[in-house]
Amino acid sequence: VPDAVADFLRQGNLPAHIRRGADSVLATLPWHRGGTLEVVEGRAQETDRASITRAFAGIAESGTIVQISGPENPTTLNFLPEAHIVVLEKADIFASYEEAWSKLRDQMGEGTMPRTVNMISGPSRTADIEQTIVRPAHGPKNMHVIIVR
């Protein structure tokens, strides 16, 4: 993952600086293998150009990433930086939305949900003004998913 992140940032001509949440899996990765890559923890700041989060699930039928909010994955990381890198475990890819919702209910417990569930399928777009497509309308203009075993 660190090599893939450093490579993505280089290819996108982005600084070797990335922000992540307090996710325990991301925290234990060997970030030193990413060369000069600087990794900081916390909510996204206006000056951040790239962020990395770990997805709760992926939906194969639509190519959607499911993110749940919390200290380990602040929602700002999904939407504020211009590039959003997502780490998705292969075992967390489901065929349908229903399977991902079942996993969420099982993990959270009866009657409990996270504060926010975001389903992200790529950069937003709009054609509200003069029917001209604008990308991104809000949020990152690039989303890069790294699938790991």
Side-chain angles (χ1 to χ4, degrees):
V1 170
D3 287 338
V5 168
D7 191 45
F8 172 78
L9 294 174
R10 260 191 313 276
Q11 288 180 19
N13 200 28
L14 292 166
H17 174 90
I18 195 155
R19 187 165 308 262
R20 66 169 177 80
D23 182 271
S24 60
V25 172
L26 295 180
T28 60
L29 291 175
W31 291 108
H32 65 280
R33 292 187 187 165
T36 60
L37 183 63
E38 178 188 9
V39 181
V40 293
E41 184 179 308
R43 295 188 329 228
Q45 306 297 311
E46 286 185 41
T47 56
D48 291 330
R49 305 265 319 268
S51 64
I52 186 166
T53 61
R54 190 164 60 103
F56 175 77
I59 312 298
E61 72 181 348
S62 61
T64 300
I65 297 298
V66 179
Q67 300 282 68
I68 59 175
S69 64
E72 64 283 349
N73 269 327
T75 301
T76 56
L77 296 173
N78 301 334
F79 300 113
L80 192 55
E82 71 180 77
H84 180 206
I85 301 169
V86 179
V87 176
L88 173 62
E89 295 182 36
K90 182 179 173 187
D92 293 329
I93 299 174
F94 298 98
S96 67
Y97 289 99
E98 292 79 12
E99 292 174 78
W101 282 111
S102 291
K103 176 190 175 195
L104 184 61
R105 287 185 198 101
D106 290 345
Q107 184 172 315
M108 298 301 292
E110 183 80 23
T112 305
M113 283 290 180
R115 181 172 171 211
T116 306
V117 176
N118 290 298
M119 296 181 167
I120 305 168
S121 299
S124 64
R125 65 181 180 183
T126 185
D128 289 347
I129 301 171
E130 296 183 7
Q131 300 300 304
T132 301
I133 299 270
V134 175
R135 275 183 65 194
H138 59 274
K141 64 180 175 181
N142 293 306
M143 185 170 88
H144 182 68
V145 180
I146 301 169
I147 300 173
V148 297
R149 293 184 196 162

